[in-house]
Amino acid sequence: MTSAYRRSRSELPSFVLRLYVTGRDPSSVRAIANIEEVLREYLPNGSTLDIVDILRHPQRGVRDQILVVPTLVKLIPAPVRRIFGDLSDREQLLAGLGLTSSDRRTGQRGEEESK
């Protein structure tokens, strides 16, 4: 049986995100601003954002198989997801993070639980 339930923001799992950028390139600057805004609005107490400049640390881009920048990688919670571009499409970004626009207003995240 499947039932919908809502959890308070304090019950959300912590998010661990990694954003790969190329210096101060305009699309990288926009991606940083866009993800920081979403984190402030939706996950103010439950996220870690690691920004990796592949111009300074090219070995990280190679090791992590980054072919396009900017690239946002959601590491935790599972599943791992990659979102490409400047993250200006809010709905696509929220979907990639497993959030919805209603999470901002309610401070809760809707999920399904199997019982």
Side-chain angles (χ1 to χ4, degrees), residues 27-104:
S27 62
S28 294
V29 171
R30 283 191 304 273
I32 292 167
N34 288 330
I35 190 60
E36 286 179 344
E37 181 180 348
V38 165
L39 294 178
R40 274 192 308 274
E41 292 178 18
Y42 292 81
L43 301 166
N45 301 317
S47 63
T48 300
L49 175 62
D50 179 25
I51 299 174
V52 178
D53 182 345
I54 62 169
L55 294 178
R56 290 184 172 179
H57 306 283
Q59 72 283 4
R60 298 249 339 244
V62 171
R63 182 189 72 204
D64 297 338
Q65 300 177 338
I66 300 302
L67 303 175
V68 176
V69 288
T71 296
L72 178 68
V73 181
K74 178 180 70 81
L75 300 166
I76 296 174
V80 172
R81 292 204 176 145
R82 292 178 181 229
I83 305 167
F84 307 103
D86 68 5
L87 310 177
S88 59
D89 183 335
R90 177 66 64 100
E91 292 304 315
Q92 179 183 2
L93 176 56
L94 293 175
L97 295 174
L99 300 169
T100 65
S101 57
S102 64
D103 293 331
R104 178 175 176 250

